[in-house]
Amino acid sequence: MTTQDEQSRHARRFGLPVATALVMGNIIGGGIFLLPASVAPYGTISLVAFGVLTAGAIALALVFGRLARRHPKTGGPYVYAREAFGDFAGFLAAWSYWITTWVSNAALAVAAVGYLDVLIPVHGSTAATIAAALALQWLPALANLAGTRYVGAVQLVATVLKFAPLLLVAVGGLFFFDADNLGPFQASDDSALGAISASAAILLFSYLGVESAAVSAGEVRDPERNVGRATVLGACGAAVVYLLGTLAVFGAVPHDELVGSTAPFTAAVDAMFGGTWGGSAVACAALVSMVGALNGWTLLSAQSPYAAAQDGLFPKAFAVKRRGVPTVGVLVTVVLASLLTVYNYTAGSTGVFEILVLVTTFTATVPYLLASAAQIYFLLSGQSHRVDRGRLVRDSVLAAVAFAFSMWLVAGSGYAAVYQGVLFLFAGVLVYAWMSARKTKAA
């Protein structure tokens, strides 16, 4: 068998189901298992914030769909920003997104070990904890290195396995729903607008990952059609699970108990079905959810650098693909995430890891802002080959809402995250200067 045949056997382009699973799996990591308790102190008014955020996320999803139809290439926001505003803007989109992916992977692995500990106690030994965290990172990385065929299979299976228990609680909870458990509509002393804003600040990052199909557009079959569909379907599917799941937990667990709960889904399962097996069931679901998210985010971590490397804005090694996957990008990302994970468990200093995770809440939104601005640029510049004039007003409104949503994400990340994130972003300027100089010299 030739090398080309071997490559094609392991490399498969994603169809609509796998692309949708990639979006849904990346949006929903492990945060959903804590969200109901996180927003319970504000009362059921937090569901209004969910609705507002869902509208913003769907607008952003539609904008990504429009952009992907015109630029069906791997890289997503990097491609759109570079096409609209040049190399520097494109590099900033790729750089900030890359930082987000490998720091987030480290955070996901650390969080996943917490759920693993419920099933297999590992926290008694630092070595065992580190080994578990690294295994949770490297297994998805190996699936990626095996080829896009296996990435898609793992993502589809993980998405099905994670959504089965979540939907069981979300739908089953409606049969155990007790309105007396809801508590007050507005439980805090804030005004209605203040309560919505405060709960929205917690929920803002629940939809990070909506760009997943656009970033991997080059690996999606018929991307002009399927990227937009997968993005919207994935965002809507995640929204349904978020809203129904939160509402079900609100109705199954008394409000006073929910406010102090550290495992709201466990409490809901125990209340609905009795017994104390809910902890293990929820831990299994959370673990599958996070492994699926790690699988998807590992692929995305290599896509933006791959697109930038093709244009000479990242080292050439990042542009090498094997079996449909940019292998160097995957390896560099998992190594950096592993080093950060080991540091988290061995350094003994507090706050550094948390600051890095907080930084990603800002760096993740930079590509959203640039992509939304790129769509506004394409619309206002009158580039008829990019814009369907019959849909100009609708697309303009969607782009404006998506931009406003992205700005809200930045504001919600807080002063500390913005400050630290800007420093990380500006550190990339030196890398850009180096790569741009090499590109100019070679030309």
Side-chain angles (χ1 to χ4, degrees):
M1 181 178 289
T2 66
T3 302
Q4 187 173 359
D5 291 335
E6 181 74 13
Q7 295 278 0
S8 62
R9 186 164 66 89
H10 296 287
R12 294 283 176 85
R13 304 190 82 186
F14 303 146
L16 181 60
V18 173
T20 303
L22 184 66
V23 175
M24 294 177 72
N26 285 355
I27 290 177
I28 299 181
I32 187 174
F33 297 97
L34 292 175
L35 280 180
S38 300
V39 298
Y42 301 101
T44 50
I45 196 172
S46 57
L47 295 176
V48 176
F50 249 135
V52 174
L53 289 173
T54 298
I58 290 175
L60 187 60
L62 289 168
V63 167
F64 275 123
R66 298 280 184 274
L67 289 166
R69 183 179 289 272
R70 301 298 175 183
H71 296 282
K73 296 169 59 180
T74 293
Y78 160 77
V79 174
Y80 317 142
R82 181 173 179 268
E83 181 69 20
F85 309 120
D87 284 352
F88 186 57
F91 173 83
L92 288 181
W95 175 259
S96 60
Y97 197 75
W98 184 55
I99 291 173
T100 300
T101 54
W102 64 263
V103 176
S104 295
N105 277 8
L108 270 172
V110 170
V113 170
Y115 287 104
L116 177 66
D117 192 57
V118 175
L119 306 172
I120 306 171
V122 294
H123 276 155
S125 165
T126 301
T129 303
I130 292 174
L134 293 180
L136 288 167
Q137 288 179 354
W138 279 90
L139 288 175
L142 291 175
N144 274 264
L145 294 173
T148 50
R149 174 182 182 179
Y150 304 98
V151 176
V154 170
Q155 196 64 30
L156 196 58
V157 171
T159 300
V160 172
L161 290 178
K162 91 162 72 170
F163 279 93
L166 288 174
L167 287 175
L168 174 64
V169 174
V171 177
L174 301 179
F175 295 96
F176 297 88
F177 190 89
D178 185 351
D180 293 336
N181 289 333
L182 292 177
F185 177 69
Q186 189 176 337
S188 67
D189 295 330
D190 297 329
S191 64
L193 182 60
I196 292 174
S197 298
S199 53
I202 297 172
L203 301 169
L204 274 171
F205 307 102
S206 302
Y207 287 104
L208 293 183
V210 70
E211 75 291 341
S212 300
V215 173
S216 296
E219 279 62 60
V220 176
R221 192 180 305 121
D222 191 9
E224 292 87 348
R225 295 183 62 192
N226 285 336
V227 167
R229 291 180 178 182
T231 302
V232 174
L233 287 173
C236 290
V240 168
V241 173
Y242 278 151
L243 290 168
L244 284 182
T246 302
L247 184 61
V249 173
F250 275 9
V253 183
H255 180 261
D256 292 341
E257 180 183 338
L258 183 60
V259 169
S261 175
T262 56
F265 270 78
T266 297
V269 171
D270 289 343
M272 285 188 284
F273 305 109
T276 57
W277 55 273
S280 297
V282 171
C284 286
L287 199 56
V288 170
S289 180
M290 289 185 173
V291 170
L294 279 165
N295 180 65
W297 279 107
T298 299
L299 175 65
L300 296 189
S301 69
Q303 300 290 25
S304 286
Y306 165 77
Q310 285 190 311
D311 297 320
L313 299 179
F314 255 65
K316 286 184 179 180
F318 284 86
V320 177
K321 267 190 175 184
R322 289 187 176 86
R323 300 177 176 182
V325 176
T327 51
V328 172
V330 169
L331 286 171
V332 171
T333 295
V334 73
V335 167
L336 287 173
S338 297
L339 291 173
L340 182 56
T341 302
V342 172
Y343 173 81
N344 174 65
Y345 287 118
T346 59
S349 58
T350 59
V352 176
F353 186 74
E354 288 76 10
I355 288 173
L356 286 172
V357 173
L358 192 62
V359 164
T360 66
T361 62
F362 169 75
T363 56
T365 61
V366 172
Y368 294 175
L369 279 170
L370 289 171
S372 301
Q375 174 71 337
I376 292 172
Y377 166 78
F378 292 143
L379 292 167
L380 296 182
S381 62
Q383 298 184 38
S384 58
H385 65 289
R386 302 182 193 282
V387 181
D388 184 339
R389 293 185 179 277
R391 300 175 180 173
L392 181 61
V393 174
R394 184 193 67 182
D395 286 351
S396 297
V397 170
L398 284 173
V401 171
F403 188 84
F405 176 67
S406 302
M407 285 295 291
W408 195 10
L409 285 171
V410 172
S413 60
Y415 293 110
V418 173
Y419 172 73
Q420 300 284 349
V422 167
L423 293 180
F424 268 76
L425 203 60
F426 284 176
V429 174
L430 184 62
V431 178
Y432 173 78
W434 172 51
M435 294 306 304
S436 184
R438 290 186 61 183
K439 181 180 177 182
T440 301
K441 186 178 180 180

